[in-house]
Amino acid sequence: MLDVQKNKSLKPYNTFSIDVDADYFAEILSEQDLKDVLESDLIKQQNLLVLGGGSNVLFTKDFDGLVVKVSIPGISNVVEGNEVIVTAGAGVIWNSLVKYCVQNGYAGIENLSLIPGTVGASPIQNIGAYGVELKDVFKSCTAYEIATSEKRVFNFEDCHFGYRDSVFKNELKGQYIITSVSFRLSTSAKINTQYGAIQEELKNKGIDAPTIEDVSNVVSEIRVAKLPDPSTIGNAGSFFKNPVITKDEFETVKLAHPNVVNYPAPDNKIKLAAGWLIEQCGFKGVVAGQTGTWKNQALVLVNHGGATGAEVYSFSEQIINDVDAKFGVKLEREVNIL
């Protein structure tokens, strides 16, 4: 029997540690649990919010409705020559999946080590870091339509992946709940060390021929050095997307700011480093009431203990306005605001 709780605190379920309540709360441990919820009268009467690890959300008020916490476990794999299809339940912690794959020699997601959140959120966000995106290894995902409780499998083409984007954030937003994701990995590693920080750390360690374990370890060390641990200080990782602009727009920015940090992006565009833009506006390590930016990475907004979601949101608005005034570039929040 599915347990639905009333007036549930969501503080333990969001990495910002914002203290808000949900009218109703249900934890999903299986596809049958999900079907039970979707076919219940409760879901027809309430606003619905689906939570994974709560690492990409900022609550600005109590949630008036039903929160469904997806905690479906399990990892399995099928080996076919050099290819490995790894399937994980939507509730599996993302970094637990990365560790599983690295330990078994399944290459492809080692650069995505220590990204917070759960497997179910990974295709929604098209998570990425250090030269790799989820779409590079995605095979398919299983999801249930909220309106009909019918099961559907989405393949790569169905998902319309973009930079930190997918069909689940656009035309199908709020229509499906993902229960499992399958990844196309390999037992024959193609090591990706194109990011300078990875190359530098490997060089410092004297590693000339890195394994996927070496890459995973180095990426983890870089992230730990840059990012605060949500268990000790509330945060949701990178709060803003790295802005992608046209070459003409880039030339305008570069003319006024020759040292602007940039990278090539698809479709002949240029990606700017949001953290660098924010830091140039003087926000790195700033404390504003109970919120602020992290001392080692201006891209990360933090809760120093008692911040409200509204306070964090207001501070983020100040950053957006200052970056726009200085660079003529409009930052976009990566975190979902509720």
Side-chain angles (χ1 to χ4, degrees):
M1 184 74 178
L2 186 66
D3 179 28
V4 178
Q5 302 176 57
K6 294 183 179 180
N7 300 320
K8 179 76 169 179
S9 171
L10 297 179
K11 187 173 182 179
Y13 302 102
N14 72 97
T15 59
F16 252 119
S17 294
I18 302 296
D19 193 7
V20 294
D21 293 338
D23 286 350
Y24 298 93
F25 179 91
E27 187 165 18
I28 303 301
L29 297 170
S30 67
E31 290 191 355
Q32 186 58 53
D33 282 351
L34 181 57
K35 282 182 68 69
D36 289 346
V37 169
L38 295 181
E39 293 171 358
S40 71
D41 290 335
L42 183 63
I43 201 166
K44 298 177 178 65
Q45 300 165 0
Q46 302 292 330
N47 296 319
L48 176 67
L49 172 65
V50 181
L51 272 186
S55 61
N56 197 42
V57 62
L58 175 66
F59 288 103
T60 59
K61 57 186 177 181
D62 290 339
F63 186 75
D64 178 20
L66 169 66
V67 170
V68 170
K69 169 75 171 73
V70 180
S71 300
I72 299 173
I75 303 174
S76 62
N77 67 79
V78 177
V79 181
E80 301 172 352
N82 287 338
E83 186 175 86
V84 186
I85 305 301
V86 176
T87 300
V92 173
I93 300 300
W94 174 260
N95 200 52
S96 297
L97 174 64
V98 175
K99 287 181 178 179
Y100 170 89
C101 292
V102 169
Q103 289 167 0
N104 285 281
Y106 305 153
I109 59 174
E110 55 277 359
N111 290 53
L112 305 181
S113 296
L114 271 192
I115 289 180
T118 55
V119 166
S122 63
I124 298 173
Q125 183 74 1
N126 184 24
I127 59 172
Y130 298 103
V132 174
E133 289 187 316
L134 184 282
K135 68 178 179 60
D136 300 330
V137 294
F138 179 87
K139 179 180 183 291
S140 64
C141 68
T142 300
Y144 281 76
E145 188 175 23
I146 293 169
T148 65
S149 72
E150 290 184 359
K151 187 175 181 177
R152 176 179 169 183
V153 175
F154 289 82
N155 61 29
F156 180 90
E157 289 76 15
D158 296 328
C159 292
H160 302 168
F161 289 120
Y163 174 59
R164 303 295 176 269
D165 203 13
S166 72
V167 69
F168 302 108
K169 293 180 74 174
N170 294 290
E171 53 262 49
L172 294 184
K173 184 175 182 178
Q175 296 183 38
Y176 283 85
I177 298 176
I178 294 172
T179 55
S180 67
V181 185
S182 294
F183 306 88
R184 198 184 301 277
L185 305 179
S186 177
T187 57
S188 178
K190 294 180 180 177
I191 302 296
N192 184 338
T193 60
Q194 69 181 43
Y195 264 69
I198 297 178
Q199 294 174 359
E200 186 177 343
E201 284 300 312
L202 290 171
K203 183 179 179 181
N204 290 341
K205 294 176 181 294
I207 300 173
D208 297 322
T211 64
I212 60 172
E213 184 175 11
D214 292 327
V215 172
S216 177
N217 289 340
V218 163
V219 167
S220 297
E221 289 172 10
I222 293 169
R223 291 186 72 91
V224 167
K226 280 187 174 183
L227 305 174
D229 182 350
S231 68
T232 58
I233 183 165
N235 75 94
S238 299
F239 195 88
F240 301 98
K241 296 179 182 180
N242 288 319
V244 177
I245 60 178
T246 66
K247 283 199 168 182
D248 286 345
E249 290 169 333
F250 173 66
E251 290 302 327
T252 300
V253 174
K254 188 177 179 182
L255 190 63
H257 308 277
N259 297 326
V260 60
V261 177
N262 66 94
Y263 309 95
D267 301 324
N268 205 30
K269 293 185 176 181
I270 304 293
K271 180 167 65 176
L272 304 182
W276 185 87
L277 298 174
I278 296 166
E279 187 174 342
Q280 298 307 302
C281 292
F283 280 105
K284 187 176 181 180
V286 165
V287 176
Q290 292 298 316
T291 187
T293 51
W294 183 235
K295 60 184 179 181
N296 296 332
Q297 174 54 271
L299 191 56
V300 178
L301 272 57
V302 298
N303 176 2
H304 287 295
T308 65
E311 185 180 359
V312 177
Y313 181 85
S314 177
F315 181 63
S316 73
E317 192 74 7
Q318 183 183 346
I319 290 173
I320 290 172
N321 291 338
D322 282 19
V323 168
D324 191 18
K326 186 176 180 70
F327 295 98
V329 174
K330 194 81 170 176
L331 292 182
E332 185 179 344
R333 295 176 183 89
E334 190 170 325
V335 172
N336 295 307
I337 310 297
L338 292 168

